[in-house]
Every structure is written in C-alpha cells, then in structure tokens.
Amino acid sequence: MPATGWGWAAIVVSFVVAAFAGRSVAGIIVAVVLLDIAVQGVNILNQTRLFALAPDARSRLNTAFVTCNFLGGAAGSAAASVLWSGGGWTAVSLTGAGLGCVALLAWGLGHRGPLLNKRRA
C-alpha cells in the first residue's frame, strides 16, 4: 500500500514539473521519465493486488484491467485535446496533476476495505 501512495505522489509531481517546465527540454524529459516510472509502478502494484483476489481468474482480470486502462487512456486523450484548445500545455499538465491528487486522495481513503492486507488490518 505505501508504494502505491508513493507512485501516485510521483505522478502528481511529474505533472507539476511538466506544467512549470515551459519550453525546457530537460524539464520535459525529467517529467516524462518520472511519469513513466510512476505509472508503470502503480500499474504493476495494482495488477499484483488484483491478481491476489482470484488467482484462478488472472486472464479475465487482466483483460478487464487492460480494457479499463485503454478506455481511460482514450478518454484522457479526448479530454487533453479539449484542454489543449482552451489552455495549452499548462491546462493539460495541471489537470493531470489535479486528477493525480484525486487518485492520491482515493488511495488515502482506501486504507480500509477488502483489498487491505489482513495482517495490517
């Protein structure tokens, strides 16, 4: 659970770095690398927890997971094009940071429930 929180925090930081990077190539590279590492890490952590729920249904769970990721990515791309028209790079980046904060909040509130490790509960 803590690693997932660190991953979401890194996602927020990467979008903030991107928003303030402006035309700095180095700033954009830092933001993109951090974002990629954080998103991949959160995905792996989420898949690990998801597969632990029903080990005999991994194929179906993975299909649902990847499908939801694809649909979320498509919706994000559509929203980014609208945001880009209205506010450019800053609007896209700060919206990504805001959505990352929502996810971080959901993670913080989700420390209770059926997905929690029984030893920690």
Side-chain angles (χ1 to χ4, degrees):
M1 286 293 285
T4 303
W6 284 108
W8 281 115
I11 288 170
V12 172
V13 168
S14 69
F15 275 114
V16 171
V17 169
F20 291 106
R23 296 183 186 268
S24 166
V25 174
I28 297 299
I29 290 172
V30 168
V32 169
V33 169
L34 181 59
L35 181 64
D36 186 50
I37 291 169
V39 168
Q40 295 300 327
V42 168
N43 276 340
I44 290 168
L45 292 165
N46 286 336
Q47 279 184 308
T48 301
R49 294 190 68 211
L50 184 65
F51 292 161
L53 291 176
D56 56 326
R58 283 187 172 192
S59 179
R60 286 172 285 173
L61 290 171
N62 192 54
T63 298
F65 184 83
V66 171
T67 300
C68 288
N69 272 342
F70 174 80
L71 293 173
S77 293
S81 66
V82 172
L83 288 165
W84 184 269
S85 298
W89 180 257
T90 304
V92 173
S93 299
L94 292 179
T95 300
L99 291 172
C101 286
V102 170
L104 192 56
L105 177 65
W107 168 84
L109 295 174
H111 278 80
R112 301 171 296 280
L115 294 180
L116 195 66
N117 186 342
K118 300 292 183 205
R119 288 177 281 154
R120 243 184 119 204

